[in-house]
Amino acid sequence: EVVLTQSPGTLSLSPGERATLSCRASQGVASTYLAWYQQKPGQAPRLLIYGASSRATGIPDRFSGSGSGTDFTLTISRLEPEDFAVYYCQQYGRSVWTFGQGTKVEIK
Amino acid sequence: QEQLVESGGGVVQPGGSLRLSCVASGFTFSAYGMHWVRQTPGKGLEWVAFKRFDGSNEYYADSVEGRFVIFRDNSKNTLYLQMSGLRVEDTAVYYCARRQWDVQGEYFDLWGQGTLVTVSS
């Protein structure tokens, strides 16, 4: 089973700043099978990025994904107040789907 | 409007059973594989089970294999999760989620609001 490790656990930033979130896999993941989700308190997760770098419908272009192999990154170019949330990466492989433990982006 | 609505959560004693339901609307349910994903209080997300669009195959996380059964009724646009042998560690919010799979990726593109299962004596 592929283990996804996200870092940092918490990111304290101010609105307008750039956020860089990391997701590292214990073994290689096909880019097609790497996605990112945003979750706010009391809400279900929301798809942000799929295929490592494709934005989901309605997702602003300040969100971008990159990476390949074992290292993937979610970047929020300029944080808006509504972007403070928890972010999860997720992968699929051999009929098993796994999530990272999440990175919380909080207001500094 | 595409929507998933879960129900069936509640409080159950260890060793007990519970059946969750997820009703889909606004899209062709029978064309999509479906997942159950859970989230323990204050913790992260854990994939639980998957059922193919036509019901032909299912897959389970090791933590629930042999205790949980995922099934669906495409005539009722409904996904189910039959849980038995429940443990305290199964306490979580359970989400159903739609599988999206194409040349661009494999991901969960639509989620329900979740239903809370509490296993406690």
Side-chain angles (χ1 to χ4, degrees), chain B residues 10-18 83 86-87 91 117-121:
Chain B
V11 180
V12 61
Q13 292 188 337
S17 299
L18 206 59
M83 305 184 293
L86 282 161
R87 306 167 180 167
T91 295
V117 173
T118 303
V119 184
S120 173
S121 54

Side-chain angles (χ1 to χ4, degrees), chain B residues 21-59:
Chain B
S21 300
C22 168
V23 177
S25 60
F27 65 96
T28 304
F29 178 71
S30 60
Y32 290 88
M34 296 294 296
H35 296 273
W36 287 100
V37 177
R38 68 185 179 185
Q39 185 167 36
T40 52
K43 297 287 182 65
L45 299 165
E46 179 188 17
W47 169 75
V48 173
F50 169 74
K51 189 71 166 177
R52 274 177 54 94
F53 70 98
D54 58 2
S56 60
N57 286 92
E58 65 264 7
Y59 304 103

